[in-house]
Amino acid sequence: MAERRTFKDTDMQQVLGWVLRIGVSLSMLVVCMGGVLYLYRHGHATVSYQKFTGIPHFVHSASGIWNGIFAGRGRAIIQAGIILLIATPVIRVVFSAVGFVIEKDWLYTGISLLVLLVIIISALTGHGG
Amino acid sequence: MSVFVFTLIVLAGSYLAGLLGSLTGLGGGVVIIPLLTVLLNVDIHYAIGASLVSVIATSSGSAAAYVKEGITNIRIGMFLEIATTIGAFFGAMLALHLQTSFIAILFGVILIFSAFMSLKKKDTQVNQQKSQWAEKLKLNGTYPDNGQTVTYGVRKVGGGFAMMAFAGLISGLLGIGSGSLKVVAMDSIMRIPFKVSTTTSNFMIGVTAAASAVVYLQRGYINPEISMPVVVGVLLGALTGSKILVHTSSSQWLRWVFAIVVTFLAVQMIYNGIHQKV
């Protein structure tokens, strides 16, 4: 943009809109790719989800998913897409925090960081309880 | 049932759920969970996990459009997200310890409440009264409406904050967006204009859901095989819903039909819960 102007709420709205749109589109693409692969390989297997048994190790741990992606395992790719989807609103909060820093709105920079902190604590303590 | 048939049924059901959820404003999550548990015998923990993921997809997708139009109040959203994320974290932790039959009954009750709320007439008056706290937190704002700028004030910040924490708790516990509870907090308590409250609620749902989803992920509630058709179906359904322009008269009719269907499903879930069949 040629003219100099200050960063305003309306600019932040545009940026946040794009972050959400890209995050959702990208994660859906990954989920669909994994889904096609999974159906191609296991489409005729029999399923029953009547009893809760957790999920297989290779889609449960970060290392399992990482290795699964390179091994071309459909379910690991789906799970990676889902994690990307869950990360999308969190990334949106990070962008809001940066936006408020640029606006020099320290109160809302603090509020954004507080929300991030709650999510990080949830992620770190989620296995306990 | 083979993987292929299961995926197709869930995909079709989720599409319908997303479409109806978007047309009536109830959200897809409330239909997905009864569909999976009552009709397909899926364990409620897997159903909650899959529903929560689809909630993130639809709310982020529609929030992207609204936030660009400048209707969403980012500050109200960020401030209330403190309450919803804390609530969601405790809700997800609580879900691990509560009996599934209790979760099913609670789900049924919230479902009936949401259906009832969707039938309520919306208050169109804009509040100009500004509370001291709203002033300090810079919550008062404006939004574009038919080319004009409408100014509005926010009141009862504390009450709204507490109600939001409860909405977050329910969202984390049941894997739904709990949009109807958020609307209670913002419309009835804080007197935020309807247009702003719905879009801001949508904006917040993704972050709220993410806080409990990180707990669900580690607990193995989010099963990729079940979540895949749910998230794709609900999102496509919601996209279709947003493209269809519904006349007010037929939208009221649609809400009634949907409310009856949802109530039927809710009663089924309460019944199953009481008889320990979940």
Side-chain angles (χ1 to χ4, degrees), chain A residues 9 13-14 18 38 42-43 45 47 49-50 53-54 60 75 79 92 103 105 108 123 125 127-129, chain B residues 1-4 41 43 46 67-68 75 78 81 89 97 137-139 203 206-207 217-219 222 225 235:
Chain A
D9 274 11
Q13 284 163 345
Q14 295 298 317
W18 277 112
Y38 166 66
H42 301 279
V47 287
Y49 302 108
Q50 229 163 331
T53 50
H60 203 168
R75 276 171 286 179
Q79 200 73 336
R92 192 272 284 165
E103 285 187 19
D105 186 336
Y108 273 87
T125 55
H127 52 86
Chain B
M1 197 183 287
S2 79
V3 167
F4 202 72
N41 271 323
D43 180 274
Y46 289 135
V67 82
K68 285 183 161 187
R75 285 192 169 78
M78 282 309 316
E81 274 163 17
F89 168 61
H97 299 289
L137 288 162
K138 293 179 264 188
L139 299 180
F203 182 71
V207 178
L217 258 182
Q218 298 175 57
R219 284 292 173 148
I222 298 174
E225 300 121 82
L235 189 67

Side-chain angles (χ1 to χ4, degrees), chain B residues 65-81:
Chain B
Y66 290 133
V67 82
K68 285 183 161 187
E69 285 170 30
I71 306 169
T72 313
N73 187 323
I74 296 178
R75 285 192 169 78
I76 293 179
M78 282 309 316
F79 172 66
L80 293 176
E81 274 163 17

Side-chain angles (χ1 to χ4, degrees), chain B residues 178-196:
Chain B
S178 58
S180 57
L181 290 174
K182 288 193 169 80
V183 168
V184 170
M186 293 202 272
D187 284 24
S188 311
I189 301 175
M190 299 171 83
R191 292 270 166 215
I192 298 166
F194 172 65
K195 245 181 134 174
V196 180

Side-chain angles (χ1 to χ4, degrees), chain A residues 9-10 12-18 20-21 24 28 31-32 34-36 38-39 42-56 59-60 75-76 78-79 82-83 85-90 92-93 96 100 103 105-108 111-115 118-119 121-129, chain B residues 1-7 41-43 45-46 53-54 56-57 59-61 63-65 67-76 78-82 85-86 89 93 96-97 136-139 203-204 206-207 209-228 231-232 235:
Chain A
D9 274 11
T10 44
M12 181 140 94
Q13 284 163 345
Q14 295 298 317
V15 173
L16 297 187
W18 277 112
L20 292 172
R21 188 158 295 173
V24 172
M28 280 306 110
V31 166
C32 288
V36 169
Y38 166 66
L39 285 179
H42 301 279
H44 297 290
T46 313
V47 287
S48 168
Y49 302 108
Q50 229 163 331
K51 257 193 124 55
F52 181 71
T53 50
I55 49 172
V59 286
H60 203 168
R75 276 171 286 179
I78 297 173
Q79 200 73 336
I82 290 173
I83 291 170
L85 183 66
I86 295 171
T88 299
V90 184
R92 192 272 284 165
V93 178
S96 320
F100 287 125
E103 285 187 19
D105 186 336
W106 307 119
L107 174 67
Y108 273 87
I111 287 174
S112 305
L113 291 178
L114 191 60
V115 171
V118 174
I119 296 171
I121 291 173
S122 313
L124 292 180
T125 55
H127 52 86
Chain B
M1 197 183 287
S2 79
V3 167
F4 202 72
V5 172
F6 178 83
T7 307
N41 271 323
V42 173
D43 180 274
H45 294 106
Y46 289 135
V53 172
S54 77
I56 298 179
S59 71
S60 300
V67 82
K68 285 183 161 187
E69 285 170 30
I71 306 169
T72 313
N73 187 323
I74 296 178
R75 285 192 169 78
I76 293 179
M78 282 309 316
F79 172 66
L80 293 176
E81 274 163 17
I82 302 174
T85 49
I86 293 174
F89 168 61
M93 291 305 240
L96 311 172
H97 299 289
K136 270 187 193 156
L137 288 162
K138 293 179 264 188
L139 299 180
F203 182 71
M204 297 168 58
V207 178
S212 40
V214 290
V215 178
Y216 284 1
L217 258 182
Q218 298 175 57
R219 284 292 173 148
Y221 281 26
I222 298 174
N223 183 315
E225 300 121 82
I226 306 172
S227 305
M228 178 257 295
V231 69
V232 173
L235 189 67

